Amino acid sequence: MGLDKCYVLHLAQCGSRVCGVSDTGTLCVYTMDTLTKTDTLKPHTMAVTGLTSSPTEPDLVVTCSSDQTVKVWDLRLASHTPVHTLSDTSKHSTGPPSTPGKPLTTVAVNTAGVVAAGTEQVGGDTFILFWDTRAGSSLLGGYWDTHNDDITTLQFHTDKKDMLASGSTDGLVNVLDISQPDEDSALVTSMNTEDSVGRVVWYNKKGEDMNLAIHTHTEGLHLWNTDSLTPHTVLDRREVCHGIRRTVSDYTYIAGVHRHTNHEEEGLVVIAGSSFTANPCLRLALVRNRKVKPLAMLGKGGGGVARCSLAVEGGFVTGGEEGVIRVWREGEEDNKDKVGKVVNSKLNVRDKPY
């Protein structure tokens, strides 16, 4: 993403483009097919903590930040001016409790244009805030009893626009129906992972679409049918390590959990690797029959430690600690193994964005 050393922390697909945010707070836009950089901007004055795309508007990308704002960007505009800047505009007599600042940690957008953002724990409270971008930039409202620690992930259901999954460092994963009139009525179900939640992903299994994959900060996986009280599968770091055919679990990490891009397929694809300096790797695996099973290797070494990933049509995108965004496509190395090919590596640029 640049000549200076940086980490790629967030990725989002916007139509035929891929957007990446580094730890320096810079957002870069590339074409998906060749990774040609088409734009660079600095979306916030403080750290960018979340990045997502609109499921219905391929030209829009949404960022959130510790500066307490969500910004919606139209990638067709050269002005680098957000089309919406969203913040807590409520009157605290009727809206969320008055708290000195609400640094944002994660953001999600549904198919109706509703934006949800989670906050750090501030003043003993943690918030999920909502805006409807079709109606302007005013705050719709918020929830503040759902979690009691930093919210780390929000994910709207692909087909049920009002169903929102949230996860937090408090260990809880909640399913919320935001069409309900208040927070108590909105809580559909909740599950305690007894861990710190990193990310949640909706996926299909046996024709049912109310399933959540939960990636924890201890590099484990919980698979939960939300109609049940407890997860049906819990895979710890050692089982993920074994699934990608490594031997030392302390080096194993998960760079992403994704539903199949071919929606006729069910289940999950896991991108996991080893950070062992002498012999790093990055591999694809499937979760089947309550086990992680190896699927493919992503090159030799995988290009260093990956911090984030995307599932795109025909392949995957990864970004990591080398500051490199890679697009992996399926290719034949020999008769046995299918290996991802790097479409492009770090681009040599003269303007040093970082």
Side-chain angles (χ1 to χ4, degrees):
M1 287 184 70
L3 294 177
D4 294 340
K5 181 174 175 58
C6 65
Y7 290 1
V8 183
L9 299 180
H10 307 285
L11 291 169
Q13 181 183 6
C14 299
S16 61
R17 293 161 290 209
V18 58
C19 299
V21 170
S22 74
D23 61 338
T24 63
T26 302
L27 170 65
C28 294
V29 184
Y30 301 89
T31 59
M32 183 70 74
D33 54 352
T34 63
L35 285 185
T36 300
K37 185 187 288 187
T38 59
D39 206 354
T40 302
L41 62 142
K42 196 85 169 180
H44 294 275
T45 58
M46 297 176 68
V48 180
T49 53
L51 175 73
T52 192
S53 55
S54 166
T56 57
E57 299 288 341
D59 295 309
L60 298 184
V61 66
V62 182
T63 59
C64 71
S65 170
S66 301
D67 68 9
Q68 305 174 39
T69 65
V70 173
K71 294 184 180 180
V72 181
W73 306 88
D74 190 329
L75 299 179
R76 296 168 295 188
L77 302 180
S79 61
H80 290 181
T81 302
V83 293
H84 294 287
T85 298
L86 311 175
S87 60
D88 181 5
T89 57
S90 64
K91 296 179 180 179
H92 294 295
S93 59
T94 57
S98 178
T99 302
K102 296 182 178 69
L104 301 177
T105 54
T106 183
V107 65
V109 183
N110 74 1
T111 55
V114 173
V115 176
T119 75
E120 297 177 5
Q121 185 185 39
V122 283
D125 292 312
T126 307
F127 304 87
I128 303 176
L129 305 175
F130 298 95
W131 301 263
D132 186 348
T133 55
R134 299 168 301 178
S137 301
S138 296
L139 186 73
L140 284 178
Y143 300 156
W144 50 89
D145 292 324
T146 305
H147 292 285
N148 56 30
D149 210 337
D150 296 356
I151 294 172
T152 53
T153 178
L154 294 171
Q155 188 81 35
F156 279 107
H157 194 283
T158 308
D159 301 315
K160 298 178 173 67
K161 63 181 178 62
D162 294 322
M163 301 303 290
L164 175 67
S166 64
S168 166
T169 53
D170 64 10
L172 295 179
V173 175
N174 294 322
V175 177
L176 303 156
D177 181 354
I178 67 169
S179 67
Q180 297 302 310
D182 54 57
E183 183 173 0
D184 288 340
S185 303
L187 183 61
V188 176
T189 187
S190 181
M191 193 268 287
N192 191 348
T193 65
E194 298 182 357
D195 201 338
S196 177
V197 176
R199 188 165 184 260
V200 296
V201 177
W202 292 102
Y203 72 101
N204 295 333
K205 183 183 179 184
K206 296 180 179 179
E208 297 182 2
D209 60 3
M210 291 298 291
N211 297 285
L212 281 171
I214 303 155
H215 170 204
T216 70
H217 286 130
T218 57
E219 308 301 345
L221 284 175
H222 295 235
L223 307 183
W224 179 35
N225 182 317
T226 59
D227 291 331
S228 302
L229 296 177
T230 58
H232 59 79
T233 300
V234 177
L235 300 166
D236 63 22
R237 193 176 194 176
R238 291 170 297 175
E239 291 167 295
V240 176
C241 176
H242 177 74
I244 63 170
R245 298 301 184 256
R246 300 293 287 203
T247 56
V248 182
S249 61
D250 287 350
Y251 294 108
T252 300
Y253 67 91
I254 297 173
V257 181
H258 305 283
R259 59 184 295 179
H260 281 281
T261 54
N262 179 358
H263 296 302
E264 294 180 0
E265 296 283 343
E266 294 189 333
L268 293 164
V269 177
V270 177
I271 299 179
S274 170
S275 60
F276 182 52
T277 305
N279 185 24
C281 75
L282 190 62
R283 295 176 179 173
L284 293 181
L286 294 175
V287 180
R288 283 183 178 169
N289 300 323
R290 302 188 178 186
K291 291 183 180 180
V292 178
K293 299 186 176 182
L295 178 63
M297 295 187 297
L298 297 181
K300 295 181 179 179
V305 175
R307 286 294 194 96
C308 51
S309 62
L310 282 176
V312 298
E313 185 175 357
F316 298 89
V317 184
T318 59
E321 295 185 1
E322 291 184 333
V324 178
I325 292 175
R326 288 181 167 88
V327 178
W328 304 89
R329 304 285 186 191
E330 187 175 309
E332 296 286 344
E333 184 182 50
D334 54 36
N335 293 329
K336 295 182 179 179
D337 297 324
K338 295 184 183 299
V339 181
K341 304 297 182 182
V342 181
V343 171
N344 211 335
S345 287
K346 182 183 290 187
L347 303 178
N348 292 321
V349 291
R350 293 181 181 176
D351 58 331
K352 301 175 78 172
Y354 311 122

